[in-house]
Amino acid sequence: MDYGKRIRSDAGIADLDLELVQSSIAGANGGGEPAVDALCRLGLVEGEAPDWGITNAALLLFARPPARNWHPGAGIRVMRVAGTARILGQRQSMTWIGHADPPLARAFPRGLRLIAEQCRQSEPLRELLLADMPEYPGGALREALVNAVAHRDYERSRSETEVVFYDDRVEVSSPGLLADGVTVPDLTSGEAVHATRNPLLVSALVAAGHMRGEGSGLGCMFRAMKESLLKEPRFTARAGVFTISLHNEPEVATAGPGWKHVVGGLGIDPDQKRMLLARPDGFTRDEFLRLNAVPAGQADRRIEDLVDRDIVKPEFINDDNVPVYYLTADLDSTRWFLEERVPRLRKHFGMRSRLRSADYREIFEITYPTARRELGLLVELGFLREGGRGRATHYLPTAGLRK
């Protein structure tokens, strides 16, 4: 028999917080169900009054204080660590730490609030999506935490479920290896995995509205990360600990400042700008729909507008007759030119206040005619402003180089 279903001979109904039961699961059948009936329905207690059999799962979920007496690891610890690595044994690497104390019916909502407090705004995603975005989607964080709480090993480990925020990722770790028959490749595929070592916990978490159902959370996590243009979740199982890692790096390269400036001046709407920033190397209609979450007809009109403005052109590269929309040749050449030139010009202006033609030729190892043509283009595009005359001619940075 699994750990959650075992009866604790030293526990009685008085050791459970029935008010917490009532607010968490007793409303699942219409709101008027007595707390003890709800516990019986879910198999969390057995028998009849006064000789109730109290399961480990019931104590994990609803034990009265001090709940740690029944299981000290039934809490959640949330930490913020400076940098991308944690130095074990050195508390100075931690910049923040918070606890969600057991029982689990209280710890899980409290853990979600602690996580939300530590989830920052993402500058790379804001630049790509032209909107304020959290560094991790709330749905992915929620599913990672509920997975850790529901499926971890409570029998062999007294350690807490742990959430650690790093500069580049968040790791949600739960004690114990994967359930029998589940492998890391199974999880990496993103398909539903119908296996758990804690079926009573899962049933109770579903009844409380914290889980959608066994096996469904994994797909939700993958979809949430994909919709936020973030890389897929990663999974590791080592040294008796299973970890889900969510990275805050976009799956597409963040557009450079030069291309962002050009897109900003095209006179198109935010959805169209978002598409050109996120997929400058080509996009499909489905990608436009997914990225912008607009009706199909609206997406078609906006793509057609980009074609009419000579910003993109459709090409049929597969036999499925589905076009891919690429930047027109002139715009694509401008993009690559700016992606190479602007970062090095920003570096130059970080050390000097002005730029001469001779400086430009030296930086990029080009001839005088080429430098003259390129400097004129940079002035036209709004990256440089010409000053002086004759031998005193020089160039100053404008907004395009400062963004």
Side-chain angles (χ1 to χ4, degrees):
M1 180 182 295
D2 69 66
Y3 176 78
K5 292 181 178 179
R6 292 179 198 161
I7 302 297
R8 291 292 296 264
S9 60
D10 53 344
I13 200 72
D15 293 306
L16 300 180
D17 185 339
L18 296 184
E19 290 185 3
L20 182 59
V21 174
Q22 192 72 44
S23 64
S24 298
I25 62 172
N29 279 359
E33 184 181 25
V36 175
D37 289 354
L39 291 169
C40 291
R41 173 173 52 82
L42 293 172
L44 295 169
V45 301
E46 297 180 1
E48 298 179 357
D51 301 318
W52 298 109
I54 310 301
T55 64
N56 281 316
L59 292 166
L60 284 168
L61 286 159
F62 303 115
R64 288 185 180 278
R68 288 187 184 276
N69 288 351
W70 297 104
H71 200 298
I76 300 167
R77 181 165 58 170
V78 182
M79 291 176 286
R80 167 71 66 176
V81 173
T84 59
R86 179 178 167 192
I87 305 174
L88 296 179
Q90 295 189 20
R91 289 185 62 86
Q92 61 266 31
S93 68
M94 300 179 191
T95 61
W96 184 89
I97 184 168
H99 283 92
D101 293 326
L104 289 175
R106 293 194 193 280
F108 182 73
R110 168 66 174 158
L112 288 177
R113 290 194 293 272
L114 291 174
I115 288 173
E117 291 170 3
Q118 288 302 305
C119 191
R120 301 168 175 171
Q121 294 297 304
S122 171
E123 183 62 24
L125 288 179
R126 189 189 68 78
E127 291 178 350
L128 274 175
L129 301 178
L130 304 178
D132 290 334
M133 296 286 293
E135 57 184 345
Y136 310 100
L141 287 171
R142 181 186 183 88
E143 295 300 341
L145 183 62
V146 76
N147 180 87
V149 166
H151 302 304
R152 59 159 285 183
D153 186 347
Y154 288 98
E155 180 175 15
R156 297 174 181 82
S157 176
R158 296 309 194 211
S159 298
E160 292 180 310
T161 300
E162 193 172 84
V163 182
V164 184
F165 284 85
Y166 298 90
D167 289 350
D168 63 339
R169 68 193 186 283
V170 58
E171 293 184 349
V172 183
S173 299
S174 52
L177 299 177
L178 293 168
D180 291 341
V182 180
T183 66
V184 168
D186 292 334
L187 301 175
T188 303
S189 71
E191 299 297 326
V193 176
H194 300 282
T196 180
R197 59 166 56 86
N198 302 309
L200 288 186
L201 280 183
V202 169
S203 296
L205 289 169
V206 170
H210 297 316
M211 293 183 72
R212 294 178 177 84
E214 186 180 326
S216 64
L218 197 63
C220 293
M221 191 191 314
F222 272 80
R223 284 193 297 275
M225 294 295 283
K226 185 174 183 179
E227 288 169 0
S228 291
L229 294 184
L230 296 171
K231 294 183 177 179
E232 292 184 343
R234 299 176 187 176
F235 307 93
T236 57
R238 65 168 73 95
V241 176
F242 173 67
T243 300
I244 298 174
S245 298
L246 306 179
H247 287 250
N248 56 28
E249 178 186 356
E251 64 174 348
V252 295
T254 304
W259 179 236
K260 285 186 289 186
H261 180 74
V262 170
V263 170
L266 288 176
I268 54 181
D269 70 31
D271 289 346
Q272 293 169 318
K273 291 178 181 178
R274 191 175 295 119
M275 201 71 243
L276 297 182
L277 291 174
R279 292 285 191 270
D281 291 315
F283 63 89
T284 64
R285 177 179 182 269
D286 286 346
E287 287 175 324
F288 194 103
L289 287 167
R290 178 170 67 84
L291 182 64
N292 293 295
V294 296
Q298 188 171 322
D300 291 337
R301 288 191 295 273
R302 290 178 179 172
I303 293 173
E304 184 179 353
D305 180 62
L306 290 173
V307 175
D308 292 342
R309 290 171 179 260
D310 203 27
I311 293 172
V312 301
K313 61 178 181 179
E315 291 189 12
F316 296 87
I317 59 175
N318 297 317
D319 295 334
D320 54 10
N321 205 36
V322 175
V324 178
Y325 296 90
Y326 295 101
L327 293 174
T328 53
D330 287 346
L331 261 183
D332 199 41
S333 296
T334 298
R335 176 172 75 97
W336 285 111
F337 166 71
L338 294 175
E339 293 294 293
E340 202 278 334
R341 294 297 194 253
V342 168
R344 294 167 73 178
L345 287 174
R346 295 179 83 182
K347 183 177 179 180
H348 172 87
F349 284 115
M351 299 180 291
R352 300 180 185 180
S353 62
R354 59 181 59 190
L355 174 77
R356 299 174 305 156
S357 175
D359 298 326
Y360 190 86
R361 296 197 303 270
E362 180 180 350
I363 293 171
F364 298 108
E365 299 179 348
I366 56 177
T367 64
Y368 176 82
T370 300
R372 183 177 181 181
R373 183 176 65 254
E374 290 188 0
L375 287 166
L377 178 59
L378 289 166
V379 170
E380 179 184 341
L381 292 172
F383 292 93
L384 296 175
R385 175 170 58 85
E386 188 174 352
R389 292 184 178 182
R391 292 181 179 274
T393 298
H394 59 271
Y395 299 87
L396 301 173
T398 59
L401 280 179
R402 293 194 292 268
K403 290 182 179 179

